[in-house]
Amino acid sequence: MATTTPPQDQTRPADKRAPGRLGNVIFKGISTTSGVMILVTLAAVAIFLLYRAWPALVANASAFEEVNFIGGNLWEWVAPLIFGTVLASVIALVVAVPLSIGIALFISHYAPRRLAQLLGYMIDLLAAIPSVIVGLWGSSWLMPLLDPVFTWLTNTLGFIPLFADYTPPARNITTGGLVLAIMIVPIITATIREVFLQTPRLHEEASLALGSTRWEMIRQAVLPFGRSGIISASMLGLGRALGETMAILLILSPGYSINLNLLEAGQHNTIAANIALHFPESSGIAVDALIASGLILFALTFGVNLLARWIINRRAEFSGAN
Amino acid sequence: MSVAAPPVPTRTHRRLPGWAPYVVLAGSVALTAALLLALGSLDIAPLFFVGAIVYAVAITAVSTVIEGRRWATDRLATTLVTFAFLLALIPLISLLVKVVGDGAGRFSWEFLTTDMVGIFGSMVEGGVAHAIVGTIYVTGIAGLISVPLGIFTAIYLVEYGSGPIKRGITLLVDVMTGIPSIVAGLFAYTLFLVIFGPAYKSALIGGIALAVLMTPYVIRSAEEMLKLVPNELREASYALGVPKWLTIVKVVLRTAVAGITSGVMIATARVIGETAPLLVTVGTTQAMNWDAFDGRIETLPVYVFRQYAQGGPAADRAWAAALTLLLIVMALNLVGRLVSKFFSPKGGR
């Protein structure tokens, strides 16, 4: 014990004379502060939203009477919006996930190596296009294209409530969901592609050596290995779809009902699009209510993203890829 | 000495020759085209979709007969995977064609250099000069905040951080990339409302909103780049007696500068097209506003949205502005990728 103390005492003055000590302290301080700023920012987002949303959260139905777009109390008003948000995102996921798995497989296992990188860039390019432009494209190019398909659906399968009552133009939740799907395909594809590329080479070769076809190899080696990656990628896509605003705002004709009439216009709306629609012209308690719905959206996406990242990180420890 | 005869395979699967899929594809397309012509009109979209289905059925059937069920499944999977990829390219290509096609009409030097003062009704004049200035202000402010903050956070994560705090920040940065843009807008709005009162409106509010969205992108890309810097470089620098902070500035950041630059450009391209947060913070205006710290300001994405919602001749302006925005985003992306391609250090991965 006595012998270990003196060397410590000697290093202290040596440290003080070390070149750049002040610089080190300042630089480390700035870096650490920046890191902590991230935590502070996230906390601030939650706190400021909560602070402004509080009056609406505790108000009763009569407080909203003068606001024309809110009927009943806050929760009655928000419930259809949450439903619409989730419905649009689920439609988007149902379309985007199988498509993304296909694209990721094509890039990772089917396309020639040299071509694969270029193809990856092309899909990434889709992610770079601003959502307002995707919305413009959706409402002017995609909607007329979907019109005959929806007409056919409602004529032949209209007896199922799901497909009933379609009237053009296609300003319904399905079109919105399809456009969301196009917007989340790049993020899902990118994540799945990374996981597929990490499949142990030996697993794949072992499968092929047993005489498997390429598809059998993918089913035996690639898909089981990538399962958690596919799940977390889908959740990342879900998080993105839940918060997407402009595409929905430009396409959907809004409504406040809870039903599954996927092809009928004027039935659903999403939280984000609803905020963008009403916020600029609102004042007083209406603003508070919109911010409260934003807070709910924040909590929803935060939870989904946290879960997705948690799955990815848990997996990363085992893969040996890091 | 008799040598045992090699075992004769009892059953040999014949494989389809390499050209067979193309023949089947040509046949399917021809059949679909004939079918569609008989039914009425020949259009590119039904031809693509029906043709793909016909091809998938045909190749699977041919393959089942000649090659057996296993190889037929393989061919079907190949077809579906390729089809998924082509399907994803349709929106991309049609979007680019649509924006360029509809935007080129009104797009001109005059469009880029005039604002919307005195433009109303069915007038076809007017331009985006004020929106370009606003976009530069708002994105510039976002960059001024998020680039230093992002790079220093990345430095903390790679060079200093350890343990649960580092893991926590990494996780939250990842989660932060998923914050809905409209929530970021609401945050900036409430922040300024609480601190400065309701009267204050400026590009600064929009800049703060975009900074919330941009920072995680900058952190992620800068962190990746700093991790790529080989440890030997740091150790060599320490061995020469260079203090840690100077090592980071002169060695680590110098090595990673190309990657960080490209990351910042791509992050800028990401946020420059954000509409929702600007819609709820800076609003919209017809006139040029040269002051970033006072008054409402127009931005390109909001301009696109407002003009499109108006319809009529304004929709043409919306498409031309969309083309302008797309050109800016694509240029930033392209330059970002080229910078990282040509100036990054080789090796290390």
Side-chain angles (χ1 to χ4, degrees):
Chain A
M1 274 305 185
T3 47
T4 50
T5 357
Q8 273 185 354
D9 286 336
Q10 278 169 10
T11 54
R12 281 191 169 275
D15 253 3
K16 275 203 177 117
R17 270 182 275 111
R21 186 175 175 275
L22 184 66
N24 274 342
V25 170
I26 294 173
F27 204 75
K28 185 176 180 179
I30 296 174
S31 303
T32 314
T33 313
S34 300
V36 173
M37 271 296 285
I38 302 305
L39 307 180
V40 172
T41 308
L42 273 171
V45 171
I47 290 169
F48 276 99
L49 290 187
L50 190 63
Y51 176 74
R52 278 299 297 186
W54 191 249
L57 288 172
V58 296
N60 50 14
S62 59
F64 295 113
E65 262 166 11
E66 70 218 55
V67 186
N68 59 1
F69 64 88
I70 303 178
N73 69 28
L74 185 76
W75 299 106
E76 281 170 39
W77 169 71
V78 147
L81 292 175
I82 297 176
F83 177 81
T85 307
V86 173
L87 182 62
S89 309
V90 167
I91 294 173
L93 273 193
V94 167
V95 176
V97 170
L99 201 62
S100 300
I101 294 175
I103 299 166
L105 274 180
F106 184 79
I107 293 173
S108 66
H109 285 83
Y110 284 82
R113 268 274 153 276
R114 211 174 271 263
L115 193 63
Q117 210 178 13
L118 182 74
L119 299 179
Y121 280 156
M122 289 192 73
I123 297 296
D124 288 346
L125 210 59
L126 208 51
I129 293 170
S131 66
V132 66
I133 298 183
V134 180
L136 238 64
W137 166 85
S139 73
S140 66
W141 190 85
L142 190 65
M143 258 170 22
L145 198 73
L146 288 173
D147 195 46
V149 181
F150 287 165
T151 309
W152 179 82
L153 268 177
T154 200
N155 285 341
T156 48
L157 296 170
F159 55 90
I160 308 171
L162 227 52
F163 303 113
D165 296 330
Y166 171 71
T167 44
R171 295 194 165 277
N172 54 33
I173 195 90
T174 311
T175 313
L178 284 177
V179 173
L180 287 190
I182 289 160
M183 301 183 72
I184 62 175
V185 153
I187 186 169
I188 304 181
T189 304
T191 315
I192 297 182
R193 186 181 64 201
E194 286 308 307
V195 179
F196 281 175
L197 284 174
Q198 284 171 18
T199 313
R201 194 97 197 109
L202 288 175
H203 289 197
E204 298 179 9
E205 284 170 5
S207 176
L208 289 173
L210 291 172
S212 298
T213 62
R214 182 155 50 180
W215 173 242
E216 285 165 349
M217 180 273 281
I218 285 167
R219 270 188 49 201
Q220 288 164 358
V222 180
L223 291 182
F225 180 82
R227 190 183 299 134
S228 67
I230 294 173
I231 293 170
S232 51
S234 313
M235 295 188 66
L236 285 183
L238 177 66
R240 188 60 59 87
L242 288 172
E244 192 49 62
T245 315
M246 296 317 290
I248 294 286
L249 182 62
L250 277 161
I251 284 165
L252 202 62
S253 130
Y256 294 95
S257 43
I258 300 184
N259 59 33
L260 283 172
N261 298 358
L262 298 183
L263 298 184
E264 198 177 346
Q267 297 299 306
H268 312 96
N269 201 1
T270 71
I271 296 179
N274 188 61
I275 296 172
L277 180 66
H278 290 300
F279 201 86
E281 279 87 33
S282 292
S283 60
I285 192 85
V287 171
D288 298 343
L290 289 171
I291 290 175
S293 71
L295 183 67
I296 294 168
L297 179 66
F298 177 59
L300 202 63
T301 50
F302 196 88
V304 168
N305 280 304
L306 198 64
L307 202 59
R309 290 298 174 179
W310 180 72
I311 297 174
I312 294 178
N313 289 349
R314 195 184 51 160
R315 207 191 134 277
E317 284 165 26
F318 295 107
S319 75
N322 40 343
Chain B
M1 203 157 89
S2 68
V3 178
V8 178
T10 50
R11 187 175 172 204
T12 49
H13 277 301
R14 282 194 298 145
R15 299 297 316 275
L16 283 173
W19 45 262
Y22 301 104
V23 173
V24 177
L25 180 64
S28 310
V29 170
L31 182 71
T32 314
L35 209 74
L36 288 173
L37 273 179
L39 280 174
S41 65
L42 183 64
D43 227 348
I44 192 82
L47 182 67
F48 179 80
F49 283 98
V50 181
I53 295 169
V54 171
Y55 170 74
V57 172
I59 190 79
T60 313
V62 169
S63 178
T64 310
V65 170
I66 298 176
E67 298 182 307
R69 200 178 52 79
R70 284 179 55 222
W71 288 101
T73 315
D74 185 55
R75 289 209 186 267
L76 180 64
T78 308
T79 309
L80 290 180
V81 163
T82 313
F83 186 60
F85 180 77
L86 293 178
L87 200 60
L89 288 186
I90 294 176
L92 182 66
I93 293 165
S94 73
L95 200 150
L96 296 179
V97 169
K98 179 90 184 160
V99 172
V100 172
D102 286 18
R106 279 288 292 130
F107 189 76
S108 64
W109 181 247
E110 194 218 334
F111 180 74
L112 294 178
T113 50
T114 49
D115 59 20
M116 291 291 289
V117 171
I119 306 294
F120 54 85
S122 57
M123 291 171 73
V124 294
E125 291 87 1
V128 287
H130 58 316
I132 293 177
V133 169
T135 294
I136 292 172
Y137 278 175
V138 171
T139 320
I141 292 168
L144 281 180
I145 297 166
S146 63
V147 170
L149 184 63
I151 291 176
F152 274 110
T153 306
I155 290 173
Y156 171 78
L157 289 175
V158 176
E159 308 285 338
Y160 293 106
S162 63
I165 300 178
K166 180 191 170 186
R167 274 205 304 278
I169 292 179
T170 308
L171 182 69
L172 286 180
V173 167
D174 283 339
V175 171
M176 209 172 157
T177 56
I179 286 187
S181 59
I182 191 138
V183 171
L186 289 180
F187 162 65
Y189 172 84
T190 50
L191 179 76
F192 278 82
L193 195 66
V194 170
I195 296 177
F196 293 92
Y200 184 70
K201 283 264 177 243
S202 78
L204 185 63
I205 310 181
I208 298 277
L210 293 192
V212 171
L213 298 168
M214 187 171 167
T215 308
Y217 292 128
V218 177
I219 296 174
R220 289 296 297 162
S221 61
E223 193 190 351
E224 291 302 316
M225 290 307 137
L226 295 182
K227 275 184 188 163
L228 287 182
V229 177
N231 253 331
E232 286 84 349
L233 285 183
R234 298 186 178 91
E235 282 157 12
S237 173
Y238 295 150
L240 291 172
V242 181
K244 182 164 183 170
W245 74 275
L246 258 182
T247 304
I248 294 172
V249 174
K250 296 261 178 186
V251 178
V252 180
L253 286 180
R254 278 284 280 277
T255 314
V257 70
I260 292 175
T261 311
S262 88
V264 166
M265 297 187 89
I266 290 170
T268 311
R270 270 257 154 86
V271 297
I272 207 167
E274 284 294 350
T275 318
L278 301 177
L279 210 56
V280 300
T281 53
V282 296
T284 177
T285 170
Q286 305 285 309
M288 181 69 85
N289 177 4
W290 287 106
D291 191 345
F293 300 102
D294 188 35
R296 288 162 178 272
I297 201 159
E298 183 81 326
T299 48
L300 265 178
V302 174
Y303 179 91
V304 171
F305 172 67
R306 289 278 177 201
Q307 296 294 316
Y308 187 77
Q310 240 174 60
D316 291 339
R317 281 195 288 268
W319 283 109
L323 178 62
T324 315
L325 186 58
L326 200 65
L327 287 175
I328 295 173
V329 169
M330 291 297 156
L332 280 170
N333 261 297
L334 194 70
V335 174
R337 291 220 191 277
L338 290 179
V339 165
S340 91
K341 192 169 167 165
F342 289 113
F343 297 101
S344 305
K346 305 291 180 287
R349 192 146 79 159

